[in-house]
Amino acid sequence: MEESKRPLTAWYLVGVVAMLIVLQLLLTTQTPETLSYSDFKTLLQARKVNDLTIGDSTIEGTVDTAGIAKLLAPKTAAALEKATDEHGAHRFLTRRVEDPGLVAALDAAKVHYEGAADSHWTSTLFAWLIPGLLIAGLWTMMLRRTDAGPGSIAQIGHSHAKVFVQKETGVHFSDVEGIDEAKEELMEVVRFLKDPERYRRLGGHIPKGILIVGAPGTGKTLLAKAVAGEAGVPFLSISGSEFVEMFVGVGAARVRDLFQQAEKVAPCIIFVDELDALGKARGVAGYGGNEEREQTLNQLLVEMDGFDTNSGVMVMAATNRPEILDRALLRPGRFDRHVAIDRPDVRGREKILRLHARKLVLAADVDLAAVAAKTPGFAGADLANIVNEAALHAARADKKAVEMSDFDSAIDRVIIGLEKRNRVMNAKEKQTVAYHEAGHALVAESRPNADRVAKISIIPRGIGALGFTQQQPTEDRYLLRRSELLDRLDVLLGGRAAEEIVFGDVSTGAEDDLQKATDMARHMVTQYGMSERLGQATYEAPRHSAFLDSPAPPERFAYSEHTAQLIDEEIAQLLDEAHRRVATTLNERRAQLESLAQRLLRDEVVTRDALDELLTPPAPAPALRS
Ligand code: ADP
Ligand code: ZN
């Protein structure tokens, strides 16, 4: 409700501006023609002026315009003739010049004259006093609101102003396309919200918090709204970034408030957008506002621990940077369920385009599949943007329907914007990523102890990864043999090795792989006792290897300089040998590397089935098929 008061301030401003404009118009119509002092003197001597009002700095009066054309420049004369006031008199104004002979001249000309404090006191009044009064009035009004009214500054801590409550989001799962896996995961949440009683009876475990992870514009907010819409429950949302600029204590109060509101309208969904702004790991260097952020974060944790899932409140949050989140947020009972949204693949993009183009009148030549093919790496929001741009483009040309050419220029436009923000891969980069991922996958396929490849993709994911090869372990593992670790090392190095072999050059894209490989090699040497030269000893206490762990440095045991050198050498050797093995494998499978990379470039995603088909040589007996 408080929101509705806000626009009022805007209306006051509009009112003031309008009045000023009106005043200005009034004043300009009344303003007499300004004459130079010499012109005035000329007119005075010719006895053409009368009824003078002599102020401190100006002289005002009327002119008899008959015959002045001979006395003055034609332009000035014409202007004087036009400058009539409401009584039909031609008025003039002149700036006073130091002129001791003025009064004598006036007397000589026998004109009627009088003195005035300032001939323009009225305009001064209008120009200064009234706006001044208005501003003062506005100020008092604002102060009064600050003191008492809802939505005032003094009340921010208790205000609901920035908690957006939607009774009905009106968004449904049918409004979300191309991210089917995430959609399916959230169906269960909908079922719970629709019928919490049933779950309660069965004693089922309902997640308290769901973290939606995905690149900007992939539809995280949309999906959360769809969950609320499908379940028919209210949607309360706040954005993490809003807490950053607040006064200490205010953010925490607002979080408390949010949960109180939520409990009142439960079952409902609380949605925290940009959770990373709020939930950055505590202690991680930040600029300003740290204390406030931590207090707010702590309050969020307290609230999440405090409420019972059975109350029907479900907390959802979105982030595109899960890696920087405070671990405390991800513990059981908090955001313990993660839903990842990938950028859509070709088919997904086509569906999203179709969805958004539903309302447009499309010309027969429009091929949305072709548009989808031209927009790899685009998120849902980018595609919605393209449809909109295409419609605008067609409208500008006054077309009856949106044509393919409109889509083409829309794509160009949107790509330029995305390139500026560094969010789109060019063709060359895409190629590099394709060979890189193909390298990972082929090495994984050729190692008996490596996990099976489930899916390969060159659709950028998150901020860092430009593509990924997903492996699926066939069973849970608690122990790993040395041979298995070596195979994993190989898989990690496969990406870069492929780049080397194909392009004779390497890219920065392998940084993460190298980091992981080095870590693994170091673990093998210093913790698992898997190096012959160093023997059966550990040199470092294990560090927690859980995902999203805050990066605490491993605890180093005391060892000699010589041992330190040995460790380094052993790590280097492990990596070196792995690199050599991988290069051999990929050179042997060069043809497969080529075909897999080409397939990736075409389809962007290669599933297990497609991979099998690609890697098994064609059946040797076509004769059977006659
Ligand atoms: P995020 O929260 O991930 O940054 P949003 O949910 O705000 O992205 O998406 C912005 C807009 O982009 C949505 O309102 C919708 O119009 C469009 N959009 C994004 N993803 C999709 C999708 N998967 N299907 C349909 N429209 C989408
Ligand atoms: Zn890689």
Side-chain angles (χ1 to χ4, degrees), residues 1-14 145:
M1 315 305 101
E2 279 76 7
E3 284 101 316
S4 62
K5 293 225 163 161
R6 256 177 217 207
L8 279 186
T9 318
W11 281 114
Y12 292 137
L13 280 177
V14 169
R145 273 158 58 88

Side-chain angles (χ1 to χ4, degrees), residues 414-444:
V414 173
I415 284 184
I416 289 170
L418 292 175
E419 268 169 0
K420 275 198 201 127
R421 280 174 282 148
N422 226 340
R423 272 178 45 189
V424 146
M425 270 196 276
N426 64 33
K428 179 80 194 151
E429 285 168 335
K430 207 174 147 185
Q431 209 179 27
T432 307
V433 176
Y435 281 97
H436 179 108
E437 296 306 331
H440 281 308
L442 278 184
V443 174

Side-chain angles (χ1 to χ4, degrees), residues 276 279-285 293-294 297 324-327 550:
D276 43 286
K280 243 181 270 175
R282 282 166 291 193
V284 167
R293 197 163 47 69
E294 285 180 13
L297 174 58
I324 66 165
L325 287 182
D326 198 301
R327 274 170 60 213
S550 60

